[in-house]
Amino acid sequence: MLFINHNNINPYFNHAAEEYVLKNFDDECFMLWRNSPCILIGKNQNAFAEINTDYVKENNIIVVRRLTGGGAVFNDLGNINFTFISKNKGDINSNFRKFTLPILKALDSLGINASFSGRNDITIDGKKISGNAQYYYKDKVLHHGTLLFSSSISNLSEALKVNPLKIKSKGVNSVSARVTNIHNYLNTDMDVLQFKNYITSFVMDYFNEKNLYNFTDYDLKNINIIMEDRFSKFSWNFGRNPEYEFRKEIRFKGGTIEVNFNVVNGYINDLKFYGDFFFKDNISKLEKNFLNIKHDFNNINCLLDKIDVQAYINDMEKEDLLELLF
């Protein structure tokens, strides 16, 4: 496994680096990295529905759309992100367990009793310190997650306009009640960079690896191209937010999903799915099936008989999708 020494804190660059490594390196890879204050939204989320727009603008917080599914997260320099890129050898759920295991062991070595929880979280005493998500490319999987070490919980709460349905399902009343910082549970004092170095060393030992890789000038040039062409563009980060006339949202086994679409002369157009669900294939392929289709229950019921819904939305049944569309 290639361990990448990665110290850039530009959120646009960092997500471009993930895509570059995923698509251009043959080795399995691991890297730890930090972002300056930003909100990272899942690939299939409606950006404007996930953020406190006024707060984000006033505080110059960058918004970046990830390649992965899952929900919106707040990053600052008190948070560390970890990335594993590997050959895909399992399903979505088993991969979440596989890639969080080294992190759980590292926390345990510090005397922290953390556990994997729900679909994609790592928690301490029932409070979230890590959210995880995945992206599948050819025969590979990119798995990344957050590690709240000393982040500003108040800024997190203000920046994210969290879906009340999600909060209700957790049985608590606010974002700040659901999250905590790792630093609060340490027996010995360390700062965020010392913690980052500790996790790097632990995971390197876990995989019996001794060397760190530094991006070359060639790597940096190509990462910057991806950053300019995708992750720093408004069209990528906010462009999936069309005007719509029909909107509905439900929570199902695999997460929360929202659909927006216009109906013109009885036929669907401009349909978009948003949500914190996980996926293996691009959701846009599913969306295309509904374009110029009559918004009629029997018609769409027959259409869904020909579609493998779970290839696009993990753990969603046909009946869930019908409930969402009508």
Side-chain angles (χ1 to χ4, degrees):
M1 180 172 286
L2 197 66
F3 282 70
I4 298 173
N5 188 29
H6 186 21
N7 297 309
N8 198 308
I9 61 171
N10 181 332
Y12 299 137
F13 177 93
N14 289 339
H15 286 274
E18 285 189 310
E19 180 174 339
Y20 174 74
V21 172
L22 173 69
K23 295 183 177 179
N24 294 279
F25 283 33
D26 292 330
D27 299 275
E28 295 190 333
C29 299
F30 172 79
M31 56 188 177
L32 288 174
W33 43 286
R34 294 191 301 159
N35 281 329
S36 59
C38 62
I39 295 174
L40 310 178
I41 59 172
K43 184 177 180 181
N44 302 306
Q45 290 190 293
N46 183 330
F48 294 119
E50 298 297 325
I51 65 174
N52 181 337
T53 307
D54 291 338
Y55 186 86
V56 166
K57 184 177 180 180
E58 290 168 5
N59 291 277
N60 297 313
I61 297 173
I62 291 173
V63 177
V64 186
R65 186 180 298 277
R66 308 187 305 264
L67 289 174
T68 58
V73 296
F74 174 80
N75 274 192
D76 60 16
L77 292 176
N79 174 81
I80 296 171
N81 296 295
F82 65 92
T83 303
F84 286 98
I85 296 174
S86 175
K87 295 292 185 182
N88 178 31
K89 299 175 182 177
D91 60 23
I92 289 177
N93 296 326
S94 64
N95 280 337
F96 275 112
R97 298 278 183 174
K98 171 184 175 182
F99 293 116
T100 53
L101 182 59
I103 303 301
L104 287 168
K105 287 185 175 295
L107 293 173
D108 183 68
S109 72
L110 289 169
I112 296 174
N113 184 23
S115 60
F116 186 83
S117 176
R119 296 186 303 145
N120 63 316
D121 295 341
I122 297 175
T123 60
I124 303 173
D125 292 341
K127 293 188 176 183
K128 180 176 177 178
I129 54 102
S130 173
N132 293 260
Q134 296 173 357
Y135 177 73
Y136 290 81
Y137 174 76
K138 295 184 178 179
D139 63 342
K140 300 169 74 175
V141 56
L142 182 156
H143 176 109
H144 59 192
T146 57
L147 287 170
L148 290 170
F149 182 80
S150 57
S151 289
S152 170
I153 302 301
S154 60
N155 287 347
L156 183 156
S157 301
E158 289 292 332
L160 294 179
K161 183 181 179 181
V162 175
N163 187 333
L165 177 60
K166 183 182 292 186
I167 297 297
K168 182 178 179 181
S169 73
K170 299 283 186 176
V172 293
N173 297 318
S174 67
V175 178
S176 58
R178 291 176 53 207
V179 299
T180 190
N181 277 310
I182 295 167
H183 185 268
N184 298 335
Y185 297 85
L186 289 174
N187 295 321
T188 57
D189 192 37
M190 64 173 64
D191 62 28
V192 65
L193 291 178
Q194 290 171 324
F195 178 73
K196 180 174 180 281
N197 291 336
Y198 180 88
I199 296 296
T200 299
S201 296
F202 184 96
V203 178
M204 287 181 72
D205 288 343
Y206 182 87
F207 287 100
N208 195 28
E209 180 58 61
K210 303 300 180 185
N211 297 313
L212 283 171
Y213 176 85
N214 292 288
F215 286 131
T216 66
D217 289 342
Y218 177 83
D219 294 333
L220 295 172
K221 176 183 176 181
N222 284 283
I223 292 170
N224 278 296
I225 290 172
I226 296 172
M227 178 181 73
E228 295 297 330
D229 286 349
R230 187 197 300 275
F231 292 99
S232 63
K233 284 187 175 293
F234 182 89
S235 58
W236 168 256
N237 294 316
F238 292 95
R240 288 178 56 87
N241 298 306
E243 297 293 328
Y244 52 84
E245 295 180 2
F246 183 98
R247 175 187 179 277
K248 189 175 179 182
E249 183 181 68
I250 64 169
R251 184 162 183 84
F252 68 107
K253 180 182 177 182
T256 300
I257 185 167
E258 170 190 333
V259 67
N260 299 327
F261 57 88
N262 294 323
V263 178
V264 178
N265 296 323
Y267 289 84
I268 296 172
N269 62 35
D270 293 335
L271 183 144
K272 296 290 182 184
F273 291 109
Y274 304 102
D276 63 358
F277 54 89
F278 299 113
F279 61 95
K280 293 189 78 169
D281 208 350
N282 198 317
I283 194 68
S284 64
K285 295 180 182 178
L286 177 63
E287 292 168 347
K288 288 178 181 178
N289 285 283
F290 299 98
L291 298 183
N292 301 315
I293 295 296
K294 191 173 183 180
H295 189 216
D296 170 78
F297 184 92
N298 292 330
N299 192 43
I300 293 180
N301 187 35
C302 292
L303 173 67
L304 291 178
D305 285 336
K306 305 173 185 177
I307 298 173
D308 179 9
V309 175
Q310 295 208 23
Y312 305 96
I313 307 172
N314 193 48
D315 285 334
M316 171 165 267
E317 304 294 339
K318 170 187 170 183
E319 291 74 17
D320 297 323
L321 194 50
L322 283 169
E323 178 185 351
L324 179 68
L325 292 168
F326 294 92

